[in-house]
Amino acid sequence: MSDKTVTINPATEQPLAKYGLLSETEARNAVDKAHNAFLLWKKTTFKERAACLHKLADLITERGDEITALMVKEMGKVAAQGQQEVALCASICRYSADNGEAFLQDENRVYEGGNAIITYQPIGVILGIQPWNFPLYQVIRYSAANIMAGNTTVLKHAKNVFGMAEMIQALYEEAGFPKYVYQSLLTDGKTASALIKHDKVRGVTFTGSDQVGKSVAETAAGLAKKTVLELGSNDAFVVLGDADIDTAVEACVQGRIINNGETCVAAKRFIVVNEVYDAFRAKFIAAFKNLTMGDPAHEGTDIGPMAREDLRDKLHEQVQNSIAKGAKLVLGGEIPQQTGWYYPVTILEEITPGMPAYDDELFGPVASFIRAQNDTHAMQIANDSRYGLGGGIFTTDKDKAIRLAKEEFDTGMVNINGYSLAQPNLPFGGVKDSGYGREHGGFGMKEFVNEKTIYIAQ
């Protein structure tokens, strides 16, 4: 162990725990152990792997209150949403266990001169570099799928959720997975970057900023190593002229403040056609004013603190820069004078290109309103972004919405008349600067396997 890091409760600004960071040598040794574990784990049956994953799901459910309490303390998650994250992670484990064999079973083909087998074989150690905002889910969503496929994995988690990192490793080991099949490495970004070059790391999955993600991809590509990237977004939720305004407002408010607004697939830009703009605006403002900001552990809290002081300050700077460039502040926009890294629900309108609220990702409870001339104009604005993770369409004409979602919306996911987070049986991922590759729905299991062809001559 070398340097130390301290986790801090964002609601109280009080220290929680101190952790030693692994040196690069210690981290490299951990990868070596993961590789040795892989040589045995890859020979286990799908049934054996599934049994461990079901046990992991049981433990996650049984420890739900403890896990949620740690999320609340380490990154300010509202407790009720922590319970939802726990339930989702248990479902991911069970879905992976119940469906992994079917997704990865051999396929028989015929070719001229013989028969062939297509087999999906694990490749080795997968390095995960994951953020703090969904501290259990971000880890489970990639590790469960890869471990079910027969790989082993090492995790570099965010420093402010090292308690969760340690808890996840303990859960994996208690569930019966052999030691070193899963490891949480308490290390910094520099060491994690060095691990990409380790010869036993065969793939890298990264969730975080597009700038850092592109650097990770560049390093890995130089070594011909595959990556999966989920790099955030500036999701547009489009309210068309024939939308049900009450439905749109309810979903859009939920989509903006979920997880204190610190969500890659949060609704961020609200593009509303002129004929319904005023009605949507009035009801959205009323709903935002009715939200309760406070202690995330308390029942009835809608918005807790932001996870770190620097994140709160960056968000405020983006808001102020947008105002300086002509955005109109409708609500919020002031850092409250209280303990904790809180930021109030905020609404900006008259948003135009060149403003952070238009061009960049605002990772917090800030809604950006953009007025569109008509439906066609609204879709043009929606796609006028370097990001392409998710988005939404509100209209009473579902056939039109499906057509727009298929043919017009340049994103990996689209909500129609609602707001949804990830689902275990559906692919999750984006396009453009939001990254590439998919997780969930069996797609994640095939990201890091060798699709091997075996030719059998007659």
Side-chain angles (χ1 to χ4, degrees):
M1 295 287 181
S2 54
D3 295 336
K4 303 283 186 180
T5 190
V6 177
T7 55
I8 298 175
N9 185 324
T12 66
E13 304 182 33
Q14 295 301 307
L16 294 170
K18 182 182 291 185
Y19 300 90
L21 298 179
L22 295 177
S23 67
E24 184 176 331
T25 298
E26 290 170 322
R28 291 182 64 85
N29 289 339
V31 172
D32 290 334
K33 292 174 182 177
H35 173 70
N36 292 334
F38 164 71
L39 298 177
L40 297 175
W41 181 249
K42 70 177 183 177
K43 297 179 181 179
T44 58
T45 66
F46 287 117
K47 184 177 180 180
E48 290 171 318
R49 299 172 199 168
C52 291
L53 276 176
H54 275 296
K55 178 60 176 176
L56 179 59
D58 291 341
L59 290 172
I60 289 172
T61 301
E62 291 168 9
R63 308 275 178 81
D65 289 345
E66 179 185 356
I67 294 170
T68 297
L70 185 56
M71 292 180 190
V72 171
K73 291 178 181 178
E74 285 194 321
M75 53 76 56
K77 189 181 296 286
V78 172
Q81 295 175 25
Q83 293 287 355
Q84 293 168 3
E85 183 172 341
V86 165
L88 174 59
C89 290
S91 295
I92 290 169
C93 292
R94 296 198 191 284
Y95 184 83
S96 300
D98 292 340
N99 296 281
E101 183 172 5
F103 289 133
L104 298 169
Q105 65 183 344
D106 290 351
E107 300 175 24
N108 296 310
R109 301 284 176 87
V110 177
Y111 69 98
E112 186 176 349
N115 298 315
I117 299 171
I118 301 171
T119 185
Y120 300 93
Q121 294 299 309
I123 60 174
V125 181
I126 308 302
L127 170 63
I129 303 174
Q130 299 298 324
W132 46 265
N133 58 330
F134 289 87
L136 180 66
Y137 162 73
Q138 297 284 173
V139 179
I140 293 298
R141 78 173 183 185
Y142 92 87
S143 60
N146 277 292
I147 288 171
M148 185 64 194
N151 295 314
T152 58
T153 183
V154 293
L155 165 74
K156 186 276 178 191
H157 217 332
K159 288 184 182 181
N160 57 321
V161 291
F162 270 2
M164 184 63 70
E166 288 192 334
M167 182 180 287
I168 293 170
Q169 179 167 331
L171 288 168
Y172 263 105
E173 293 178 0
E174 188 174 344
F177 289 92
K179 200 170 180 63
Y180 308 125
V181 165
Y182 171 90
Q183 294 178 82
S184 290
L185 308 185
L186 306 187
T187 188
D188 58 18
K190 181 180 179 181
T191 299
S193 295
L195 290 182
I196 298 172
K197 301 177 182 179
H198 193 299
D199 62 338
K200 295 300 189 293
V201 168
R202 294 292 300 275
V204 184
T205 178
F206 173 89
T207 300
S209 73
D210 54 317
Q211 181 180 5
V212 176
K214 290 172 184 176
S215 176
V216 167
E218 182 178 10
T219 301
L223 299 166
K225 296 183 180 183
K226 186 176 183 181
T227 51
V228 169
L229 304 179
E230 198 269 272
L231 306 180
S233 196
N234 191 9
D235 286 6
F237 274 56
V238 178
V239 183
L240 301 181
D242 60 351
D244 181 300
I245 298 304
D246 289 336
T247 297
V249 168
E250 181 179 0
C252 289
V253 169
Q254 177 195 15
R256 180 58 283 197
I257 60 116
I258 191 79
N259 204 44
N260 304 330
E262 299 167 312
T263 306
C264 297
V265 287
K268 298 184 176 82
R269 290 180 296 146
F270 301 95
I271 302 165
V272 187
V273 299
N274 188 60
E275 63 191 278
V276 295
Y277 184 92
D278 291 340
F280 176 88
R281 177 185 185 277
K283 291 188 174 184
F284 192 104
I285 292 171
F288 246 32
K289 287 181 175 179
N290 200 40
L291 296 170
T292 300
M293 183 177 73
D295 188 333
H298 290 174
E299 186 176 354
T301 294
D302 298 302
I303 307 249
M306 297 191 65
R308 299 196 311 261
E309 184 177 19
D310 63 305
L311 297 170
R312 191 268 312 274
D313 292 347
K314 177 184 177 181
L315 178 66
H316 186 59
E317 181 181 354
Q318 289 174 306
V319 168
Q320 293 303 309
N321 285 346
S322 296
I323 294 170
K325 292 183 177 183
K328 179 182 176 183
L329 179 65
V330 177
L331 184 69
E334 297 284 345
I335 296 177
Q337 298 300 311
Q338 65 182 88
T339 300
W341 299 319
Y342 290 90
Y343 199 79
V345 290
T346 296
I347 298 174
L348 299 173
E349 62 180 347
E350 300 180 15
I351 305 300
T352 58
M355 299 177 183
Y358 189 100
D359 297 330
D360 302 327
E361 180 175 35
L362 271 58
F363 215 58
V366 179
S368 300
F369 287 5
I370 304 172
R371 188 189 296 263
Q373 298 169 8
N374 51 45
D375 292 358
T376 300
H377 187 219
M379 293 306 302
Q380 290 172 347
I381 297 171
N383 287 324
D384 186 24
S385 173
R386 71 177 189 271
Y387 294 112
L389 187 57
I393 300 172
F394 294 88
T395 172
T396 51
D397 186 341
K398 289 186 180 179
D399 290 338
K400 177 173 70 174
I402 292 170
R403 179 183 62 79
L404 291 172
K406 285 182 177 181
E407 301 174 5
E408 302 294 336
F409 225 146
D410 194 7
T411 63
M413 299 168 286
V414 180
N415 290 274
I416 294 175
N417 293 332
Y419 177 77
S420 296
L421 290 172
Q423 301 296 319
N425 63 332
L426 299 175
F428 183 99
V431 295
K432 300 192 287 186
D433 275 14
S434 288
Y436 50 74
R438 294 294 181 267
E439 294 175 294
H440 297 319
F443 294 85
M445 288 187 192
K446 290 187 176 180
E447 289 287 359
F448 295 105
V449 294
N450 177 11
E451 297 165 333
K452 183 184 294 184
T453 301
I454 302 172
Y455 297 91
I456 307 169
Q458 290 182 337

